[in-house]
Amino acid sequence: MTGLPTPGGPRAGRCPRRSEADARLLSELVLFVRIHQAGRPGLLWPEHAGPDGWDRPPGDLAHALAQRLGCPVAALPAPARPAAEPAAVPYGLLVLQQDGSSGWQLLPPARPAAVTAACGAGPGLRLRAGEVLYVPGGYATRSRPSRESRDIRLALGPHSGL
């Protein structure tokens, strides 16, 4: 077998380079998530094909990551409008910025309201096309997408929609 698609074969119509690029990106995302699942947010600039190269439905990415991570993963819809205040979620959040950029604020779990009032809403960062953000469960987040922003958001771990 040459590894090339044959007419009518199971790999017909699929580009071997595309699947190889997807596999490298998935491997990189799995390693990134495993390193940061222990409790701290992380920012990734993928070495291989960037997330902007993921041209299939977000559910395909969620399914592939769930298989490799051994935990539930679900694609989340983009919010209709940005939240006024950061909101905490019990699941890990993986954001793959595909186009444009978005500003993010992160608050660690159990941060007293008095500290937030005195110090502000928390550190901010700008996520640009091709970058990936991981936020562990329990952190409060708020995003401010630019007009041309497009991202994939995935819930990692138990999620009410799973």
Side-chain angles (χ1 to χ4, degrees):
M1 173 172 218
T2 63
L4 298 174
T6 57
R11 292 174 48 176
R14 286 184 26 198
C15 175
R17 288 185 182 165
R18 177 79 251 160
S19 62
E20 290 171 11
D22 288 350
R24 286 192 303 269
L25 175 61
L26 286 170
S27 295
E28 196 168 6
L29 289 174
V30 167
L31 178 61
F32 172 66
V33 168
R34 286 187 175 150
I35 288 170
H36 290 282
Q37 265 180 327
R40 291 198 168 246
L43 186 61
L44 173 69
W45 295 273
E47 183 175 323
H48 300 291
D52 53 325
W54 188 268
D55 58 359
R56 295 191 313 249
D60 289 356
L61 178 59
H63 178 75
L65 285 174
Q67 287 182 320
R68 287 165 178 78
L69 291 170
C71 72
V73 179
L76 299 171
R81 62 176 190 235
E85 294 298 322
V89 292
Y91 50 81
L93 177 66
L94 188 66
V95 181
L96 292 83
Q97 188 72 40
Q98 295 200 301
D99 291 317
S101 64
S102 56
W104 286 81
Q105 283 187 307
L106 310 176
L107 288 173
R111 184 175 184 189
V115 172
T116 300
C119 300
L125 62 97
R126 172 77 40 201
L127 195 60
R128 292 176 173 80
E131 297 176 342
V132 180
L133 173 65
Y134 175 76
V135 183
Y139 272 73
T141 64
R142 176 174 57 179
S143 70
R144 298 283 185 191
S146 65
R147 189 171 304 154
E148 70 282 356
S149 179
R150 186 172 61 91
D151 61 39
I152 294 175
R153 296 177 190 205
L154 302 173
L156 283 68
H159 175 265
S160 61
L162 294 178

